[in-house]
Structure formats: C-alpha cells, structure tokens
Amino acid sequence: MSVSERYKEAWESFWEDASPEPGGVFWDSEPALTAGLHLALFEPELAAPGLPMVDLGCGNGTQTRFLADRYPRVVGADLSAAALGRAREADPAGQADYRELDATDNDQMGSLHAELGDVNVYMRGVLHQSDPTDRQLLVDAIAALVGERGRGFVVELSERARPILEALASGPAGPPPKLGEVFSHGIAPGEVSDEVVPEYMTSAGLTVLAAGELPLVTTDFSADGGRIELPSTWLVVGRED
C-alpha cells in the first residue's frame, strides 16, 4: 500500500511553493528548539547509540542536518522530491543521505532495513498530518526499521493542540501567514487522540519505553506577537530486551 496521489501532490506543491528562508515553514523551527530538546529525552533510552539514524518525514532537512552533526550515519527520508531537493541544497557537504521514500510502503521500508540494518528513528509531527488510513502503516514502518535493537522517538501534537489551531484559523484576520500556507495546500493537521498513539505502537509490536509532554515550537506568531507553541506528546518506543 502507498499514500494517495492527492496526499503526495499536496506535499509536493507545498514544498515547491514554500519559502526557502530559514524558518519560512510553520514547523521549521531551529534545531535548538526542536531536535536538540528531543535528543535530551531520546538518547538516554537508546540501546545502541551507534546505529544509523533515520529522520522519517525529514522535509527540508533542518533537523536532519542537526542529527548528522551528532551521529555517524543519518538518512533523511521523505515522499516529496521538492523537499528533498531543498535538503540536499542546504547540505552541500552531504553530511546526511536523503531518500525519496513512502513510509507506508512495506517493500520500501523493508529494503531500507535490509540496507541499513536496525536503526534509530526520529519522527516529528508526521502522524497528525497523515491520512487516518496511513497512520498505523507509518508506525509499522518504525517497527520495521528499528528491528530488535533500535529505538524510535515520536513527537505528535496532543489533543489540546486542535482547539488552538482552530482558534488561530478562525481569527478575524484569518490564520497566521505560515499556518495559512499549510491550509491552502490542503494539508490540515488532523486529530489524533492521545490514547490512540500508544495503541498504534502496541499493534506494531512496539513497547512504549518512555513518554511525556513538551511544547512544539513553531516559527509563526499570533496576533499579539507571541510565538505559537502547540502542546505535544513524545514517546520513545522499541522492542523490550
């Protein structure tokens, strides 16, 4: 199974039109506010820190490049060729490897695991931006990639983020510009209940090893000038020893 053409085209057009400036995309915050905070939670749970790291849904590679400064082999995977083109342009030294892959395709994920072996996976904000029918497949992809020794770090908007997004979208002046660009391409953050995310993990044969809450920092600002931060939950998952 693979993602729908509508979904893939929406992401392709989004990245083709998105601002190339640092922080030009709603969720493209600097790594010190995102992956840097996440690694402080993830690294203590790693059973094998020397494994390759896969940034699943890497987009334009902002976080991928940060990870590549800290791990010997990092692969950024995304289904958008336009996003990966930007990632490669921003990484002329080729610190990371970038692959156009559909994480809902079992064959593609199996081939990546066959090539790399067990890996650690970083996935930020992908489930809630995916079609509901694809969400279990995405978690199955994490399970396939981590194998027996790897760990996955998954960050998703919590239920409490939805009313905040709805309020931002329905304000008198409309949504903030960067959030508006997301909506205009037919990409609307969907509702993923806090309870169902661990269920996806269990169904994929994974165990939740650690979990917590952390604000997801965006690059956009509300009408009062404050930076928009959205409630999120994080999980570290893997197979029990």
Side-chain angles (χ1 to χ4, degrees):
M1 185 175 179
S2 61
V3 295
S4 69
E5 282 302 310
R6 178 210 64 79
Y7 181 78
K8 186 172 183 178
E9 289 171 2
W11 278 107
E12 197 67 18
S13 66
F14 173 81
W15 282 112
E16 287 173 350
D17 296 341
S19 168
E21 297 300 319
V25 171
F26 182 69
W27 54 79
D28 195 30
S29 298
E30 55 267 36
L33 300 176
T34 47
L37 299 180
H38 298 152
L39 286 185
L41 302 167
F42 191 20
E43 288 181 332
E45 303 296 333
L46 293 178
L51 295 179
M53 179 75 73
V54 173
D55 183 4
L56 202 58
C58 69
N60 63 352
T62 299
Q63 312 307 318
T64 319
R65 294 188 294 278
F66 178 85
L67 296 172
D69 283 336
R70 288 151 181 80
Y71 297 96
R73 186 171 187 186
V74 175
V75 175
D78 204 279
L79 57 78
S80 168
L84 293 169
R86 295 190 177 204
R88 294 186 183 104
E89 288 176 3
D91 186 9
Q95 283 185 283
D97 182 12
Y98 301 96
R99 309 285 185 90
E100 185 178 344
L101 293 171
D102 176 356
T104 69
D105 188 308
N106 291 333
D107 291 339
Q108 291 185 32
M109 293 299 99
S111 295
L112 186 62
H113 183 263
E115 175 189 347
L116 300 177
D118 291 356
V119 303
N120 295 313
V121 173
Y122 177 72
M123 190 174 84
R124 178 176 68 107
V126 175
L127 287 180
H128 76 269
Q129 292 178 335
S130 302
D131 290 337
T133 54
D134 291 336
R135 291 170 187 160
Q136 183 64 61
L137 295 171
L138 286 165
V139 177
D140 291 346
I142 295 172
L145 292 173
V146 301
E148 296 300 322
R149 298 185 298 147
R151 297 286 186 262
F153 188 84
V154 179
V155 185
E156 289 298 328
L157 295 184
S158 73
E159 293 175 1
R160 293 181 291 116
R162 187 173 182 84
I164 297 172
L165 288 167
E166 289 175 345
L168 290 168
S170 60
K178 296 173 189 176
L179 181 58
E181 290 165 6
V182 176
F183 291 147
S184 70
H185 285 83
I187 302 167
E191 182 172 0
V192 182
S193 71
D194 296 342
E195 292 77 14
V196 78
V197 176
E199 292 174 5
Y200 287 140
M201 305 300 164
T202 300
S203 295
L206 297 172
T207 298
V208 177
L209 304 171
E213 297 184 354
L214 191 70
L216 191 68
V217 179
T218 78
T219 65
D220 222 336
F221 296 84
S222 60
D224 63 7
R227 186 189 285 263
I228 297 170
E229 297 186 3
L230 300 172
S232 73
T233 58
W234 59 269
L235 306 173
V236 178
V237 298
R239 291 184 169 85
E240 290 185 303
D241 296 332

